[in-house]
Amino acid sequence: MTGRRWQPGSCFLPSSVLTAGAGPLSFQALHQLYYDPDIENKNVAQKWLMQAQVSPQAWQFCWALLSPEKVPEIQYFGASALHTKISRYWGDIPAEQYDSLKTQLFAQIAHFASGSKMVLTRLCVALASLALNVMPDLWPGAVAEMVRAFQEEGVGADGRARCLALLELLTVLPEEFQTSRLPQARKGRVREALAAEWASVCPLLRQLLRQPESPGTVKARVLKCLSSWVLLDVPLSESEALVEDCFAVLTDPELFDAAVEAIVNAISHPDAQRHVSSLLKLVPQVLQRQDQLREAVQSGDMETSHGICRIAVALGENHSRVLLDQVENWHSFLALVNMIMFCTGIPGHYPVNETTSSLTLTFWYTLQDDIMSFDMEKQAAYLQVYRPVYFQLVDVLLHKAQFPTEEEYVSWSSDEKEQFRIYRVDISDTLMYVYEMLGAELLSSLYDKLGRVLTNAEQPTPWQHTEALLYGLQSIAETIDVSYSDVIPGLIGFIPRINVNNVQLADTVMFTIGALAEWLSDHPVMLSSVLPMVLQALGNPDLSVSSVSTLKKICRECKYDLIPYAANIVAVSQEVLMKQIHKSSQCMWLMQALGFLLSALPVEEILQNLHSLITPYIQQLEKLADETPNPSNKVAIIHILGLLSNLFTTLDISKKEEQSEEGVPPVKTSPSQLGPNPVVVVLQQVFALIHTILSKWLNDSQVVEAVCAIFEKSVKTLLSDFAPMVSQLSEMLGRMYSTVPQASALELTRLMVHIFASEPEHFPPIKTLFELVTSVTLSIFQQGTEAYRLLPQLGF
C-alpha cells in the first residue's frame, strides 16, 4: 500500500496539531454518528468514518482519539481504527517499529484497565492482532511476556484491574486468531505457537480460579478465557485439571453459566476423544452433579437443570464410542446414560415448564449408532445391557409427548404450541430410529399397552395417554415397512373403538390411518373399518390437514380397492369443497385425492364424475371471466385453476405393467381403444374459456402461471395421451409469449419440445412454437437496457 506510513513519534500528538482532514473532521463525524438524531446524517458520518479507518491518516488520529479527555465512544473508534490498521495494513509498519508499537499498546491497555471496558477490549484485540503478525519468530514467548507484564507492580492500575485486563487480552487472543487473515501456512505455525503458550496460561487460570479471595468478576473472566483457548486444539490432557476446577464452581450461581460454557466447550472439542484417560476422569465429575440436578428440578430451577444436562449430554454425545470401548468402566458410563435419561424425562411440558429434555434426543441417536457399529459379538453384549434402557426411553418419550390438560393447553401461546409440535416431531423421529434397535418387539409392546388402555373399562385412561401410544405407533408405521407385522390387524380393529372426543386425539387417529395406507392396500377388507371415520372427519375444519392428507394417501395406495366406495367419497368431497370447509392448500390435496380415485374407474364413470365435480367451478370461472379484473376475482380465478391443476396431476388412467425382471422399470400403457383421455376431453371443453381469461389477465404473471400449470401438470401425467391438444396449445403458447413473455410460458414450451418434438406428426407445431419463442427471447436481449425490465418475468 502506498501513502503515509506509521510514524513512531506521532503516537500521542494532540488533536490541535493534526491535519484538518484527519483530526477535527474525525471528531465532527463521530459526534454526528453518535449524537445526531437525523438518520441520513448518521449514515453519511458512518460511511466517512469507515473510509477514514482505512486511510493512511488513521495511524495518526487513532492515537489522538484515545486521549483521556475524549468520551468513551470516540476512544472506542480510535481503538477500532488502530485494530483495523494493524490487522489489515500490517505492511504499513516498518519492522524496526514493531517493538515501539507493542510498548505503546501495552501502555494504553494499562491505562484503560481502569477505564472504559469497551475501549479496553478493542485495544486488547489490537495487541492480539500485532502478536499474531509477529509470533513466533519476532516475538517468541509472546503470551508469557503478556502475563509477566501485567503481573508487575507499578504498571499504572490496581492489581484487580491489571488482572482483568490481562484476562481480557488472553481471552481475545485465540478469538482474534480464529478470524485473522493470516496465510494458511503461517496460520498453522501460529496455532502451534499459541498452543505451546498454554503452559503459561493454564497455571495462571487455575491459580485465579482456586483462590478463595479471587473476586467473582475475575473467576468469570477465567472461565471465559478457558472457553476461548480450547478453540486452539489445546489437548484435554493439559487442561483436565482446570476443567475439573470448573466443576467446583458450578455451585456458585453467579459463575454457573460461565462454568457450564467452559466445561461444554472443553468436552465438545473433537480432539478431546484422543485423551481417553482425561475423559474417564471427567465422568465421575459429571455424575457428582446428580444431586444438584435433582434439587434444581424439584425447585423448578430450569437454568441449573438445563446447564447440568448440557454437560452430561456433551460428554455422552461426543464421546459415547470412546466410553463404550472402555469395557472395564461400563458401570460408570451406564450411570451417565441413566443421568441423561433423567434429563430426558424431566417433569413438565416442553417448552412451558421445561426446556431441557430436547437437548438429549441427539444423544440417543448417537449411542444407538455407536452400539450398532460394533462387530456382532460386541454388539450382542451391548444390546443385552442397553435394550432395556431403550425400552425405558420409549416410555419416557411417550410420556413427554403427551398433551397437557385442555385447560392448560388453551392457555399456551401460539409459539409455545408450535414449539411443542416440533418437539413431538423430534420424538417421533427418535422413536423411528429406536425401532432399528428394538425391532418388532417395540411395536408389540406399544400395541399391548394400547390394548390394555382401550379394554380397561374399570379405570378409564386420560385421552392423552391413548393419544401418545397411538402417536408412537404412527411414528413407526409411517417410516417402517409394517407389511409383515402381526399387530397391525389388531390396531386397525382398535381404532374404531377409540372414544375420539378431542381434536388432538382425532388428528392422531387420522394420521395413524394415513400411515397404514400402504398396509391397507394389501388388506383391503379392512378399509370398511376406517374409511367412514376419514370421510366423517373431512367435514371438521379442525381436522382439515389430517383428514385430507389421510384420504389422499388412501386414494393413492388403495384406489383399485375403493371402487365400491367411490361414489360416496366423491359426494362427501364435493360437499366439503362447496361448503369451503378447508383452506386452499387442503382443497388442492383433496383434488389430488380425487384424481387418484377417479383413475381407477372406467372412462365413462370418470367423465360422469368429472362433469359433476368441476361443472360448478367452470360456471364460476365463466362468470369471473366476464368481470373486470380486480384483486378479488384474481384470487378466485387462481384458486379454481389450481383445483383443476391438482386434479389433473393425479388423474392417470394409464396402467403400469408388472416388472418382468428385477431392475426393469414398469411401462405405462394407455387404453387407447377407449377413446380420448378424460383429462383431454375436459381441457378441450374449457380451452376457449381459458383463452378468454388469458386475454384479460395476460399481463398478470400469477394468473398466467396458474393457466400454464394446468397444461404442465396434464402433460407430465398424460405424456403421449396429451397428443390431441399439442397443436392448439402450441398456437396459444406462441401468442402468449409473443405478446407478454413470461417464465411459466417458457417452461411449458420447454416441456412440450422435450416430449413431442421427436414425434413426426407433432413436429410442425412444435417447430413453429420453438422458432417463435427463440426469436422473441433473442429480440429481448438485443434491446439492451430495456431487456432488464422483462428479466424478472422470464425468471432471471
Side-chain angles (χ1 to χ4, degrees):
M1 173 165 174
T2 60
R4 291 182 61 178
R5 295 160 67 87
W6 179 82
Q7 298 295 325
S10 63
C11 293
F12 294 104
L13 286 176
S15 59
S16 59
V17 300
L18 289 175
T19 61
L25 281 181
S26 299
F27 303 143
Q28 179 183 346
L30 285 165
H31 188 277
Q32 192 168 300
L33 175 66
Y34 291 122
Y35 305 116
D36 195 318
D38 191 316
I39 189 64
E40 291 187 10
N41 289 342
K42 285 180 179 288
N43 291 337
V44 170
Q46 184 177 34
K47 184 177 181 180
W48 188 94
L49 288 166
M50 290 176 65
Q51 294 172 342
Q53 267 192 327
V54 300
S55 70
Q57 289 79 14
W59 285 118
Q60 282 74 48
F61 71 70
C62 60
W63 299 101
L65 297 178
L66 288 167
S67 61
E69 69 272 12
K70 299 296 185 292
V71 295
E73 291 84 359
I74 290 178
Q75 293 170 334
Y76 176 83
F77 181 80
S80 295
L82 192 57
H83 169 247
T84 299
K85 297 302 290 184
I86 293 174
S87 61
R88 295 174 57 184
Y89 301 99
W90 180 249
D92 284 3
I93 309 174
E96 61 270 18
Q97 300 298 337
Y98 293 166
D99 285 341
S100 177
L101 177 58
K102 178 177 67 176
T103 300
Q104 293 171 65
L105 279 170
F106 268 122
Q108 288 286 356
I109 291 172
H111 172 73
F112 278 96
S114 301
S116 169
K117 174 65 168 60
M118 65 178 183
V119 180
L120 172 65
T121 298
R122 297 313 296 167
L123 288 169
C124 288
V125 173
L127 181 57
S129 183
L130 182 149
L132 297 176
N133 277 294
V134 296
M135 65 185 303
D137 300 326
L138 300 179
W139 193 4
V143 177
E145 183 178 333
M146 293 176 186
V147 173
R148 287 195 302 272
F150 283 91
Q151 285 181 326
E152 293 175 359
E153 296 290 339
V155 176
D158 64 72
R160 178 179 173 183
R162 291 200 314 274
C163 181
L164 288 171
L166 173 60
L167 289 171
E168 182 69 15
L169 178 57
L170 295 176
T171 300
V172 301
L173 182 59
E175 295 171 351
E176 179 68 6
F177 173 79
Q178 301 298 329
T179 59
S180 65
R181 302 184 181 188
L182 297 173
Q184 198 60 38
R186 173 161 172 72
K187 199 162 190 174
R189 292 188 63 228
V190 174
R191 179 188 289 274
E192 291 177 5
L194 282 172
E197 298 267 26
W198 177 243
S200 300
V201 178
C202 188
L204 170 67
L205 299 184
R206 286 205 71 194
Q207 178 186 0
L208 293 173
L209 194 59
R210 294 168 66 91
Q211 283 179 349
E213 64 271 18
S214 290
T217 51
V218 170
K219 291 184 177 182
R221 179 57 61 185
V222 167
L223 296 168
K224 186 175 180 181
C225 190
L226 171 60
S227 291
S228 180
W229 276 82
V230 296
L231 299 175
L232 294 174
D233 300 333
V234 173
L236 182 61
S237 58
E238 295 182 15
S239 59
E240 66 177 58
L242 179 57
V243 175
E244 290 181 14
D245 291 339
C246 293
F247 278 92
V249 300
L250 285 173
T251 54
D252 187 334
E254 293 185 1
L255 299 176
F256 180 82
D257 290 341
V260 168
E261 204 65 36
I263 295 169
V264 169
N265 288 337
I267 291 175
S268 301
H269 198 283
D271 181 69
Q273 60 188 280
R274 295 195 300 111
H275 305 279
V276 179
S277 61
S278 298
L279 290 172
L280 290 175
K281 291 177 184 177
L282 292 178
V283 174
Q285 293 285 341
V286 176
L287 295 177
Q288 288 172 16
R289 305 264 65 86
Q290 290 187 87
D291 289 341
Q292 185 181 4
L293 172 63
R294 290 191 175 90
E295 289 173 6
V297 170
Q298 291 173 1
S299 63
D301 183 356
M302 294 170 61
E303 291 186 7
T304 299
S305 59
H306 194 85
I308 295 176
C309 177
R310 282 186 63 200
I311 295 172
V313 169
L315 184 58
E317 187 177 314
N318 288 286
H319 308 294
S320 62
R321 176 64 189 244
V322 171
L323 295 172
L324 281 167
D325 263 332
Q326 312 309 307
V327 179
E328 66 278 8
N329 293 286
W330 72 273
H331 280 294
S332 64
F333 183 62
L334 181 58
L336 178 65
V337 171
N338 286 325
M339 182 177 178
I340 296 174
M341 180 76 77
F342 177 82
C343 295
T344 304
I346 280 180
H349 286 100
Y350 182 93
V352 178
N353 311 116
E354 65 91 7
T355 57
T356 298
S357 58
S358 63
L359 299 177
T360 67
L361 299 182
T362 306
F363 164 76
W364 299 110
Y365 290 149
T366 305
L367 178 60
Q368 178 175 318
D369 267 350
D370 289 334
I371 290 173
M372 304 304 285
S373 69
F374 286 113
D375 60 58
M376 295 303 293
E377 184 178 351
K378 270 190 172 182
Q379 189 182 120
Y382 283 118
L383 286 176
Q384 187 174 0
V385 175
Y386 286 100
R387 274 176 62 87
V389 173
Y390 273 84
F391 273 112
Q392 180 188 355
L393 173 65
V394 172
D395 291 339
V396 170
L397 290 177
L398 291 182
H399 180 74
K400 294 297 295 182
Q402 289 185 20
F403 281 89
T405 63
E406 294 183 55
E407 295 79 13
E408 184 180 351
Y409 190 64
V410 169
S411 69
W412 286 12
S413 68
S414 57
D415 182 60
E416 289 169 338
K417 290 178 180 177
E418 176 61 13
Q419 287 187 57
F420 182 61
R421 184 194 68 79
I422 296 171
Y423 175 68
R424 278 169 51 97
V425 171
D426 291 339
I427 288 177
S428 175
D429 292 342
T430 307
L431 291 171
M432 178 271 293
Y433 215 77
V434 168
Y435 181 85
E436 294 185 19
M437 176 183 281
L438 302 182
E441 194 177 342
L442 173 57
L443 271 179
S444 298
S445 172
L446 294 177
Y447 171 73
D448 290 344
K449 290 175 181 177
L450 180 64
R452 288 194 292 271
V453 165
L454 295 178
T455 56
N456 188 351
E458 296 179 2
Q459 291 183 328
T461 304
W463 68 266
Q464 289 92 338
H465 192 183
T466 304
E467 191 277 336
L469 287 169
L470 203 59
Y471 184 71
L473 288 161
Q474 170 220 318
S475 300
I476 297 168
E478 66 184 358
T479 50
I480 304 298
D481 182 6
V482 295
S483 302
Y484 303 103
S485 173
D486 56 358
V487 307
I488 302 303
L491 175 60
I492 293 289
F494 274 144
I495 287 176
R497 299 175 58 179
I498 296 174
N499 181 22
V500 183
N501 55 2
N502 175 275
V503 170
Q504 286 80 26
L505 177 57
D507 255 334
T508 303
V509 168
M510 285 297 106
F511 283 127
T512 303
I513 295 172
L516 297 173
E518 193 171 342
W519 185 90
L520 288 168
S521 69
D522 295 326
H523 306 81
V525 70
M526 304 298 288
L527 279 168
S528 59
S529 298
V530 294
L531 187 59
M533 298 178 67
V534 177
L535 295 180
Q536 182 180 4
L538 278 181
N540 186 343
D542 292 329
L543 304 177
S544 182
V545 173
S546 59
S547 62
V548 174
S549 65
T550 295
L551 180 63
K552 178 183 170 182
K553 289 179 181 178
I554 291 175
C555 289
R556 181 183 63 212
E557 301 295 338
C558 313
K559 59 183 178 182
Y560 296 110
D561 302 302
L562 290 176
I563 293 176
Y565 311 100
N568 191 26
I569 293 173
V570 172
V572 172
S573 300
Q574 279 186 277
E575 182 180 0
V576 298
L577 285 168
M578 288 297 100
K579 289 181 178 179
Q580 298 181 343
I581 288 175
H582 304 296
K583 294 180 179 179
S584 180
S585 55
Q586 279 74 60
C587 291
M588 305 304 162
W589 296 354
L590 190 50
M591 279 298 197
Q592 290 179 22
L594 294 173
F596 285 124
L597 176 67
L598 296 181
S599 300
L601 302 179
V603 172
E604 296 80 6
E605 292 186 32
I606 294 175
L607 289 170
Q608 291 172 6
N609 280 285
L610 281 177
H611 181 267
S612 63
L613 180 62
I614 68 175
T615 294
Y617 294 110
I618 299 304
Q619 292 172 346
Q620 187 180 355
L621 204 57
E622 288 173 341
K623 181 181 176 182
L624 292 167
D626 290 336
E627 296 177 359
T628 303
N630 62 72
S632 177
N633 56 26
K634 172 184 170 178
V635 171
I637 288 172
I638 291 175
H639 177 74
I640 294 173
L641 295 175
L643 292 175
L644 297 177
S645 295
N646 281 274
L647 177 63
F648 297 158
T649 297
T650 56
L651 181 46
D652 183 8
I653 64 172
S654 62
K655 309 293 181 183
K656 290 185 179 179
E657 294 182 350
E658 296 295 326
Q659 289 182 254
S660 56
E661 57 185 85
E662 188 176 353
V664 178
V667 179
K668 290 175 66 175
T669 59
S670 175
S672 55
Q673 70 276 11
L674 298 177
N677 189 286
V679 173
V680 172
V681 172
V682 172
L683 286 176
Q684 288 174 331
Q685 292 173 351
V686 301
F687 197 82
L689 175 58
I690 290 175
H691 192 276
T692 301
I693 291 171
L694 276 175
S695 66
K696 290 189 175 183
W697 292 91
L698 194 55
N699 286 299
D700 191 298
S701 61
Q702 291 177 307
V703 174
V704 172
E705 184 177 346
V707 168
C708 289
I710 290 181
F711 296 105
E712 182 183 347
K713 304 294 186 186
S714 302
V715 171
K716 286 181 177 179
T717 303
L718 302 182
L719 301 178
S720 59
D721 282 356
F722 191 80
M725 295 206 65
V726 170
S727 180
Q728 61 188 136
L729 179 57
S730 298
E731 182 182 353
M732 186 181 81
L733 266 176
R735 289 199 302 271
M736 287 169 55
Y737 198 77
S738 300
T739 308
V740 182
Q742 298 196 37
S744 53
L746 196 61
E747 176 60 25
L748 181 54
T749 299
R750 185 198 64 79
L751 186 63
M752 294 282 287
V753 171
H754 178 72
I755 294 176
F756 295 107
S758 60
E759 299 184 14
E761 65 270 29
H762 300 307
F763 186 73
I766 293 296
K767 177 186 177 184
T768 301
L769 173 62
F770 181 75
E771 290 175 342
L772 178 60
V773 168
T774 303
S775 174
V776 171
T777 304
L778 288 175
S779 68
I780 291 172
F781 284 95
Q782 290 168 355
Q783 293 171 17
T785 56
E786 178 64 18
Y788 288 102
R789 181 180 62 84
L790 295 170
L791 289 181
Q793 294 178 331
L794 288 170
F796 295 101

